[in-house]
Amino acid sequence: MTVDVTKTAAWADLAALHASFTPDLRGWFAEDADRAARFTRTAGDLHVDLSKNFLTDEVLDALVALADEVDLAGRRDAMYRGDRINVTENRSVLHTALRRPKTDELVVEGQDVIADVHEVLDRMYAFADKVRSGEWRGITGKPIDTIINIGIGGSDLGPVMVYEALKPSVQDGLRCRFISNIDPSDVYEKTADADPETTLFIVASKTFTTLETITNAKMARWWLLNSLRGRDIVTDAASQAQAIAKHFVAVSTALDKVEAFGIDPANAFGFWDWVGGRYSVDSAVGLPVCIAIGPQNFADFLAGFNAIDRHFAETPWAQNVPALMGLLNVWYVNFFGAESHAVLPYAQYLHRFAAYLQQLTMESNGKGVRADGTPVTTATGEIFWGEPGTNGQHAFYQLIHQGTRLIPADFIAVATPAHPISADGRDVHELFLANFLAQTKALAFGKTADEVRAEGVAEALVSAKVFKGNRPTTSIMAAALTPSVVGQLIALYEHITFVQGVVWGIDSFDQWGVELGKVLANQIAPAISSDDSALAAQDGSTRGLIEFYRANRGR
Ligand code: F6P
């Protein structure tokens, strides 16, 4: 039976606290010289300063009590153990098993999960070594220099984000590209300057049925074979099969469908139905990253996840970073009406991090019914969004600073840049960090009318220049953006998402809400080109749009 969180004593305590709560970050810091230290936590290599949140000792106690009342520990242990906590799909949720060391033991329903995981990892590592060393060659004997991943959602966003984040670790002479959109322009642009003789496609799809991915894979296959035919390299069925064998590999849970597509099962890397798409970058879905940065770095990446998994499993809630960040999000969403949450990395290499988090958080917690099928009793998943600082500062920060909405924000920064460069004798990374610190300071402490007046501002302009402050932020710092730290950041947000889902009583691991659109697209497709009876069956708006298309195609 799902606990109704709104009926818990801790919820009532939080409601009572909220009723008389006046955030006062200036006052709290002035009164308590230790506030920053008291509310700073460590998880793995992450230094997490929670002190600029709406956090007091009473709030902390109530949030911890809430975690206990919804049995967060029991739910977490059930997940780690392999219980079928994804109830609507009747599946285990075991992404934490993907990053456990070979020496660990985990047998679920008679299956040695750790052995299975490492069997695939070893194959991935061997394959990555072959591509990186040039031992794996294309049909004309040339080594691979371009890897094009074809996937969408979890089979795309994770690999893209991590590849971009770890670009400084990519082997010279190798590059990855990612095709996801079914808009043919995506395939066109990503293949336009690629050499078919040195390009390797990875078709990544958990189900191997996703329309976008299968269609893109067919277009890529056509591009490869057609280009090689044009060079008299593919001349018959045998050379065609050889070209596909040398230039296509697959990542999927559906190895029979991989074979039916024409990819040799020997060149397929499997994973399991207990890995959700948005939790899969640490499975074989990470293959392009593994090839690009190499097995040792990939192993470090996985070890980073595992460090946070252990922190989440072993640390009391009051010190537990994912638990506290998830509980604070609940505090903001359900008691302060926060509708969105910004994630603002001060690290250009994390420029796809917010896009990645959007699927992780919103596909997981965008739910209106609870795991037992009853309606949710309170607001659920907030909107996650963001861009790297300082770019965001010159775009949307205005709304966070002076707008009417409360937007909690996570700031992420590293101490050591990948490229220490100076300008006019000034360390540019330090200037960058100064911006990160300035923004969190301005958001927390603002600027009063008296401070504005003291600058000699005309009275008529004072109110426009006041910053109210009390905009909550969490600052996450690490020494450097290493493979391990990137793994730690991902695992941190996976567990934050899990914590929120447990509090709300929802199944964070299904995604039924994306199904209807897929079914309708298949029904509408015939109406678009020529099927008039299919067109007549559409609603008035859809029909009108199709008619516009038909009247304007090719113009
Ligand atoms: O559209 C939703 C979804 O099922 C995601 O959850 C998933 O990551 C994506 O589609 C791609 O699915 P697949 O890996 O099976 O192609």
Side-chain angles (χ1 to χ4, degrees):
M1 183 60 195
T2 309
V3 175
D4 178 352
V5 67
T6 63
K7 301 276 185 329
T8 59
W11 196 266
D13 288 347
L14 285 165
L17 276 170
H18 177 255
S20 58
F21 197 83
T22 311
D24 181 16
L25 285 163
R26 271 192 187 222
W28 295 337
F29 272 90
E31 280 159 20
D32 178 4
D34 286 340
R35 180 175 170 86
R38 283 200 312 113
F39 290 123
T40 294
R41 305 285 183 268
T42 301
D45 299 319
L46 307 178
H47 171 94
V48 182
D49 179 354
L50 300 167
S51 65
K52 296 199 208 73
N53 279 285
F54 293 176
L55 193 54
T56 61
D57 292 327
E58 296 76 31
V59 172
L60 181 64
D61 289 348
L63 291 175
V64 167
L66 185 70
D68 289 335
E69 280 195 76
V70 296
D71 190 23
L72 182 58
R75 304 300 298 159
R76 174 201 60 202
D77 295 349
M79 173 169 74
Y80 279 46
R81 202 166 51 222
D83 291 7
R84 296 187 179 220
I85 64 164
N86 177 357
V87 287
T88 71
E89 295 182 324
N90 190 25
R91 288 177 182 165
S92 305
V93 175
L94 271 173
H95 46 273
T96 52
L98 295 168
R99 48 265 192 152
R100 287 177 62 170
K102 226 176 205 165
T103 46
D104 273 12
E105 280 178 22
L106 180 68
V107 176
V108 179
E109 298 175 12
Q111 195 62 28
D112 185 340
V113 169
I114 303 292
D116 289 349
V117 164
H118 281 273
E119 190 263 328
V120 175
L121 267 179
D122 288 345
R123 288 186 54 232
M124 284 169 63
Y125 291 165
F127 181 71
D129 278 337
K130 276 191 192 164
V131 175
R132 290 164 64 81
S133 67
E135 186 188 334
W136 181 279
R137 287 171 187 269
I139 186 165
T140 54
K142 294 184 182 165
I144 299 299
D145 61 14
T146 302
I147 296 147
I148 303 185
N149 190 78
I150 301 175
I152 197 164
S155 300
D156 169 71
L157 290 162
V160 180
M161 184 277 281
V162 176
Y163 174 73
E164 292 295 325
L166 296 177
K167 246 188 187 154
S169 302
V170 172
Q171 176 170 298
D172 283 348
L174 276 181
R175 62 178 179 176
C176 289
R177 288 179 173 177
F178 298 85
I179 294 172
S180 56
N181 203 334
I182 196 169
D183 182 339
S185 310
D186 205 9
V187 168
Y188 175 83
E189 286 295 334
K190 305 288 169 48
T191 53
D193 64 350
D195 179 349
E197 294 175 53
T198 57
T199 296
L200 175 73
F201 289 99
I202 301 176
V203 186
S205 173
K206 179 175 169 179
T207 55
F208 227 75
T209 57
T210 303
L211 179 72
E212 291 88 340
T213 300
I214 300 307
T215 308
N216 282 330
K218 286 178 183 164
M219 282 193 281
R221 185 173 56 187
W222 180 87
W223 171 83
L224 177 86
L225 296 177
N226 197 46
S227 317
L228 294 175
R229 268 189 213 108
R231 298 180 188 186
D232 285 334
I233 296 164
V234 164
T235 51
D236 55 12
S239 50
Q240 175 168 316
Q242 207 196 352
I244 291 173
K246 293 289 182 193
H247 294 274
F248 270 86
V249 300
V251 172
S252 186
T253 59
L255 299 181
D256 50 334
K257 296 196 175 76
V258 169
E259 193 170 3
F261 183 85
I263 297 174
D264 186 346
N267 297 335
F269 300 84
F271 59 113
W272 307 269
D273 70 358
W274 43 257
V275 184
R278 51 195 178 273
Y279 298 86
S280 67
V281 65
D282 46 343
S283 72
V285 168
L287 184 63
V289 175
C290 180
I291 297 171
I293 66 173
Q296 185 54 56
N297 280 324
F298 198 79
D300 290 348
F301 172 60
L302 297 183
F305 281 88
N306 184 251
I308 299 300
D309 293 345
R310 283 185 284 112
H311 168 90
F312 184 48
E314 294 162 6
T315 312
W317 298 140
Q319 304 297 324
N320 194 306
V321 174
L324 291 175
M325 289 181 71
L327 292 164
L328 277 167
N329 289 354
V330 168
W331 179 225
Y332 295 129
V333 169
N334 297 125
F335 294 90
F336 294 87
E339 290 183 342
S340 82
H341 191 109
V343 180
L344 309 166
Y346 278 66
Q348 181 59 26
Y349 284 117
L350 287 176
H351 70 104
R352 293 295 291 165
F353 194 56
Y356 168 78
L357 286 185
Q358 288 185 331
Q359 188 199 15
L360 174 65
T361 57
M362 299 202 274
E363 204 171 71
S364 294
N365 286 342
K367 308 287 163 65
V369 293
R370 297 187 297 162
D372 63 5
T374 57
V376 294
T377 51
T378 186
T380 61
E382 68 273 48
I383 298 156
F384 278 77
W385 58 286
E387 278 288 322
T390 58
N391 297 1
Q393 289 174 208
H394 298 274
F396 53 76
Y397 278 36
Q398 165 66 34
L399 185 138
I400 308 181
H401 280 289
Q402 288 188 312
T404 55
R405 296 166 197 281
L406 180 79
I407 303 176
D410 300 343
F411 282 68
I412 303 170
V414 297
T416 309
H419 308 290
I421 298 175
S422 299
D424 292 338
R426 202 161 178 195
D427 181 327
V428 179
H429 184 67
E430 290 186 355
L431 198 53
F432 188 34
L433 286 182
N435 275 275
F436 151 72
L437 296 168
Q439 291 298 323
T440 56
K441 191 168 179 151
L443 287 164
F445 307 123
K447 195 175 189 182
T448 64
D450 286 346
E451 286 167 342
V452 175
R453 285 190 193 101
E455 288 174 351
V457 171
E459 194 57 32
L461 291 180
V462 169
S463 59
K465 297 198 170 190
V466 166
F467 285 61
K468 286 189 180 152
N470 288 320
R471 314 275 159 152
T473 62
T474 295
S475 297
I476 303 171
M477 291 194 73
L481 198 63
T482 60
S484 170
V485 164
V486 173
Q488 292 178 46
L489 286 170
I490 300 172
L492 171 63
Y493 281 91
E494 286 177 348
H495 295 315
I496 291 170
T497 304
F498 174 76
V499 170
Q500 293 182 243
V502 169
V503 171
W504 292 323
I506 59 182
D507 183 341
S508 297
F509 301 101
D510 61 14
Q511 57 283 318
W512 297 107
V514 295
E515 294 305 319
L516 179 60
K518 293 185 191 174
V519 172
L520 292 181
N522 280 323
Q523 287 171 5
I524 291 171
I528 296 182
S529 47
S530 56
D531 184 337
D532 288 337
S533 60
L535 180 64
Q538 302 302 324
D539 63 274
S541 170
T542 307
R543 210 166 44 238
L545 294 166
I546 292 173
E547 280 163 359
F548 177 85
Y549 161 73
R550 285 191 184 183
N552 287 280
R553 63 183 149 194
R555 284 180 60 188

